[in-house]
Amino acid sequence: MEKNIKFPVIDLSKLNGEERDQTMALIDHACQNWGFFELVNHGLPYDLMVNIERMTKEHYKKHMEQKFKEMLRSKGLDTLETEVQDVDWESTFYLRHLPQSNLYDIPDMSNEYRLAMKDFGKMVENLAEELLDLLCENLGLEKGYLKKVFHGTTGPTFGTKVSNYPPCPKPEMIKGLRAHTDAGGLILLFQDDKVSGLQLLKDGDWVDVPPLKHSIVINLGDQLEVITNGKYKSVMHRVMTQKEGNRMSIASFYNPGSDAEISPATSLVEKDSKYPSFVFDDYMKLYAGLKFQAKEPRFEAMKNAEAATNLNPIAAVETF
Ligand code: OGA
Ligand code: NI
């Protein structure tokens, strides 16, 4: 309970006033100690958020709920007798904004919903870039450093995962989304304003990220932990299922481009870094099979791959 009270909630509008230094310090503290924070007064229009939440719930009811129920039946999840460890109790679809939008390829979205998601995507992208620069400032990196690293040759990858976590008759048997860290860069989450479920791991305890109307939850992915040489943390989180209520969440992932070269920033490394250097896509290939495991073995595997390339550059070239 006490831990919930301390969960960092940051008023972004204070960056424009006397409390700027204090606010920057709160962001830095959250990045180092929580890997998560919740933003209020972030500049995203509330009426757009309210409309998107409504349309996401309507879209689920109209186009997704039936499919979700069929999925439950086909996977034998309609009767939960024992704990299920290999499936998530969620209904999702993905929108990609960058490098190329797939917004018009997604079936069953009304025009109004599509346009709202397009506007929202652009605004969240701008907020992500603003936040990356705040992180640079706190880290003593030049303005634009993170954006540049994420750019690669074709710009960042930016997409939105739209999820619904429907009510579950036996919440103790299955997670909405199993514990994981996010692979990418910065994640901006617009979560249900009433139904809770998101938890993060803090000093060995699961802590709720409580619903807060009109807020945006920010968390850092594995790439920011690597680039900051571990100063900032990518933190385990999960979604619990609930007996009552359908929780919606709209998670936008601002990630490096597929050929972006990721490595710890030189100014943040004292001697040798325990973090690897790699091409982002290679990390994603590894992550695909290991998402629901700890991040450390992933970092280690990339480090070993890097060492092998350095020891035997000819062989590495020949594999292409
Ligand atoms: C994710 C995630 C949380 C949520 O998709 O990686 O952590 O609340 N989502 O949907
Ligand atoms: Ni996640």
Side-chain angles (χ1 to χ4, degrees), residues 79 93 201 206-207 263 297:
T79 53
F93 66 96
L201 193 59
W206 289 103
V207 177
S263 60

Side-chain angles (χ1 to χ4, degrees), residues 68 71-72 75 77 80 82-92 161 163-180 196-201 206 208 236-243 247 292:
F68 179 74
M71 182 281 282
L72 293 183
K75 294 193 173 166
L77 298 173
L80 287 164
T82 53
E83 195 173 344
V84 177
Q85 310 263 17
D86 57 351
V87 192
D88 303 306
W89 188 274
E90 62 170 6
S91 162
T92 61
K161 175 183 168 194
S163 312
N164 282 270
Y165 299 94
C168 174
K170 292 191 182 161
E172 63 289 0
M173 293 300 182
I174 190 165
K175 299 281 180 291
L177 179 59
R178 289 161 284 167
H180 64 282
S196 62
L198 180 61
Q199 297 185 328
L200 62 88
L201 193 59
W206 289 103
D208 290 328
M236 276 272 182
H237 51 283
R238 66 184 185 185
V239 178
M240 304 303 279
T241 40
Q242 313 281 342
K243 267 200 165 143
R247 175 173 181 271
F292 298 108

Side-chain angles (χ1 to χ4, degrees), residues 177 180-182 187 219 237 253 291:
L177 179 59
H180 64 282
T181 65
D182 292 334
I187 299 86
N219 74 289
H237 51 283
F253 297 81
K291 170 167 173 169

Side-chain angles (χ1 to χ4, degrees), residues 135-142 231 267-268:
L135 266 50
C136 285
E137 189 178 330
N138 272 334
L139 290 160
L141 298 170
E142 75 197 66
K231 183 164 187 203
S267 62
L268 299 176

Side-chain angles (χ1 to χ4, degrees), residues 119-250:
D119 284 353
F120 187 69
K122 189 66 205 163
M123 289 176 198
V124 174
E125 179 193 332
N126 292 341
L127 178 60
E129 293 185 347
E130 182 187 336
L131 288 169
L132 285 182
D133 270 340
L134 297 177
L135 266 50
C136 285
E137 189 178 330
N138 272 334
L139 290 160
L141 298 170
E142 75 197 66
K143 193 169 162 40
Y145 180 93
L146 291 169
K147 190 176 166 188
K148 205 159 121 199
V149 170
F150 280 28
H151 189 279
T153 57
T154 51
T157 314
F158 181 57
T160 300
K161 175 183 168 194
V162 181
S163 312
N164 282 270
Y165 299 94
C168 174
K170 292 191 182 161
E172 63 289 0
M173 293 300 182
I174 190 165
K175 299 281 180 291
L177 179 59
R178 289 161 284 167
H180 64 282
T181 65
D182 292 334
L186 201 61
I187 299 86
L188 303 92
L189 177 76
F190 167 22
Q191 64 164 346
D192 202 286
D193 65 352
K194 292 191 192 68
V195 185
S196 62
L198 180 61
Q199 297 185 328
L200 62 88
L201 193 59
K202 167 86 174 127
D203 306 326
D205 291 320
W206 289 103
V207 177
D208 290 328
V209 181
L212 181 60
K213 201 173 169 77
H214 299 150
S215 72
I216 296 284
V217 177
I218 307 295
N219 74 289
L220 312 185
D222 294 349
Q223 306 312 305
L224 285 176
E225 179 164 335
V226 172
I227 296 168
T228 65
N229 197 34
K231 183 164 187 203
Y232 289 171
K233 299 289 185 299
S234 170
V235 164
M236 276 272 182
H237 51 283
R238 66 184 185 185
V239 178
M240 304 303 279
T241 40
Q242 313 281 342
K243 267 200 165 143
E244 306 283 338
N246 181 5
R247 175 173 181 271
M248 76 104 223
S249 82
I250 295 173

